[in-house]
Structures are given as C-alpha cells and as structure tokens.
C-alpha cells in the first residue's frame, strides 16, 4: 500500500539552530502535502498546506518565516524549523494526498519528535 | 503495537440516511480517541474526541462513544447531508509522549447523494 516516509523520527537540537524534516511519498505522487503539529496529549493542528511547485498556504497564527516549507517535487516536501526555540519542541507529522486513490487518499508519515534544548 | 482499524470505503448514502463508520483499536494503556474529517482540498479537521472510557464525543450531529470493552469508537450520525461528503479518519493518541504516539486509520470516504 501507499507509504509516506518521514525523517527523522526524533531530533534533538540546540536553541537557535535550524532543523529540516522530510516527508516523502514512496509509491505515489503527492501533489498536495499537509504539515501538522501535535502538542502534548492534544490533537493535531494544521500548520500549512503544501502544493508542489507553489508556495505553501499557512494557517492563521503559523509563522511562515519560522516554518519554511518546500515542495519541490511530487514526492518530497520539507519543513524547516528555523532558529528553533524550546517552545518549538513538539511532534510534527506530515500527510500526503494520493489523488489516484479514491478510497484512501490521505497517508500519514510516522511523525518527528523535535526537542529543542 | 498500537493500531487503528477502520471500516473500508467508499460509503455512499442518500441524504437523511443513518451513518455508521466502524473503528476499532489496539492499544496499551489508556489512549485518547479521535475522529478527523478531511473535506475536498483541505487538511484534516478535528471532528470529535473522547479521552476516557464511556465518554461520548459529539459535534455537528456526529457522535462516537469510547467503548473500552469492545475497543471501539464507531462514528454515527442520524441524518447525513450532502455537505457531510468527505473522508473520515479514526485516530488514537497514547497518553504518554514518544517518538510515535499518534496512529490513524486508513480513512473512509463518505459520499452523500441528494
């Protein structure tokens, strides 16, 4: 079945550094990918919608200069947390839309646990 | 390991019909359970949630009850509308934080016809 690979699964970085998270669709083309953030014990918050070849659409309250999203190909979207701070520590998860699948069009990565020290 | 099993779609119903989308889970501990909805062209939206056994989540006419004895969280609505056409995802979140504490079902596409 369709698989989305998200890497890394865990990352620890120092405050002020940048971290890049990759989201790859392994056996389908993903015109649209979504990035979410999960706060402890809470549900997902949509951060942005990423469309291949165009600028991402950010949800209200999400800083586009802080969370850089690039969707340069139909199989890869990246989220870069720039100048990370401890409050950016969270669980980030991506999902990719498979428009060729009518039944199950959305597939999820396993998430990235970011800890900023 | 933890997992969520969701009724396969697609599901096609006439307007005002009764909806049930089955969801069962496997988990250690005491997870929280969620239903998310994805409308065409949009990201996931939280539809409802339940954080402990016997809790009932409800929103927009949808309901789901956290049944620990049957490890289920079935989504129901008494009278669906065309605007309910979307893909629905059941999800489980573990109580503790970790590298991967979030598990989704495969999604069920619902189409409601007038």
């Amino acid at each position: 079945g369709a698989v989305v690979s998200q890497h890394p699964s865990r990352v620890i970085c120092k405050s002020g550094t940048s971290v890049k998270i990759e989201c790859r669709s392994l056996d389908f083309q993903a015109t649209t990918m979504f990035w979410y953030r999960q706060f402890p014990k809470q549900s997902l918050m949509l951060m942005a919608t990423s469309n291949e070849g165009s600028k991402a659409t950010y949800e209200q309250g999400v800083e586009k200069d802080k969370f850089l999203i690039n969707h340069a190909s139909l199989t890869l979207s990246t989220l870069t947390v720039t100048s990370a701070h401890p409050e950016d520590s969270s669980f980030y998860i991506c999902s990719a839309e498979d428009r060729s699948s009518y039944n199950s069009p959305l597939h999820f990565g396993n998430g990235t646990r970011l800890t900023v020290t | 390991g933890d997992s969520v099993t969701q009724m396969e779609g697609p599901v096609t119903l006439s307007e005002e019909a009764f909806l049930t989308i089955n969801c069962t889970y496997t988990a250690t501990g005491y997870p929280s359970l969620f239903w998310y909805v994805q409308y065409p062209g949009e990201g996931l939206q939280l539809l409802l949630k339940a954080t402990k056994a016997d809790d009932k989540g409800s929103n927009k006419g949808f309901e789901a009850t956290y049944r620990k004895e049957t490890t289920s969280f079935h989504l129901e609505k008494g009278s669906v509308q065309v605007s309910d056409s979307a893909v629905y995802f059941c999800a489980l979140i573990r109580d503790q934080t970790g590298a991967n504490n979030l598990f989704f079902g495969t999604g069920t596409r619902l189409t409601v016809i007038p």
Side-chain angles (χ1 to χ4, degrees), chain B residues 88-106:
Chain B
Y88 293 82
F89 293 86
C90 185
L92 172 160
I93 294 178
R94 291 178 185 163
D95 281 349
Q96 65 270 24
T97 58
N100 181 8
N101 72 342
L102 179 60
F103 301 86
F104 282 93
T106 53

Side-chain angles (χ1 to χ4, degrees), chain B residues 46-109:
Chain B
L46 177 63
L47 181 60
L48 54 84
K49 66 179 182 180
T51 57
K52 61 182 188 296
D54 300 325
D55 270 2
K56 177 186 283 188
S58 61
N59 185 25
K60 299 181 181 179
F62 291 89
E63 291 184 341
T65 302
Y66 188 161
R67 302 278 188 207
K68 193 165 176 64
E69 64 276 14
T70 54
T71 62
S72 65
F73 193 55
H74 305 321
L75 182 68
E76 297 182 336
K77 186 173 185 180
S79 177
V80 293
Q81 305 300 313
V82 172
S83 57
D84 295 326
S85 298
V87 183
Y88 293 82
F89 293 86
C90 185
L92 172 160
I93 294 178
R94 291 178 185 163
D95 281 349
Q96 65 270 24
T97 58
N100 181 8
N101 72 342
L102 179 60
F103 301 86
F104 282 93
T106 53
T108 303
R109 181 180 289 280

Side-chain angles (χ1 to χ4, degrees), chain A residues 36 43-44 91 97 102-103 113, chain B residues 10 36 38 44 98-99 109 111:
Chain A
Y36 303 88
S43 63
L44 296 178
F91 187 70
E97 193 162 61
Y102 181 74
N103 288 347
R113 171 71 59 191
Chain B
Y36 288 90
Q38 185 198 21
L44 289 181
R109 181 180 289 280
T111 302

Side-chain angles (χ1 to χ4, degrees), chain A residues 7-70:
Chain A
H7 178 80
S9 59
R10 291 180 193 256
V11 58
I12 300 173
C13 71
K14 291 186 178 180
S15 188
T17 61
S18 295
V19 172
K20 180 185 284 188
I21 302 170
E22 293 188 348
C23 181
R24 293 181 184 272
S25 58
L26 297 186
D27 57 359
F28 66 96
Q29 294 184 331
T31 308
T32 303
M33 291 188 177
F34 301 92
W35 287 95
Y36 303 88
R37 180 173 179 177
Q38 184 202 6
F39 294 94
K41 300 186 181 182
Q42 297 185 32
S43 63
L44 296 178
M45 179 192 78
L46 178 65
M47 298 175 67
T49 302
S50 164
N51 290 297
E52 185 266 338
S54 62
K55 291 183 179 180
T57 302
Y58 290 81
E59 296 299 303
Q60 190 173 7
V62 178
E63 299 176 60
K64 59 183 67 176
D65 294 331
K66 174 119 183 112
F67 299 99
L68 299 179
I69 291 173
N70 184 287

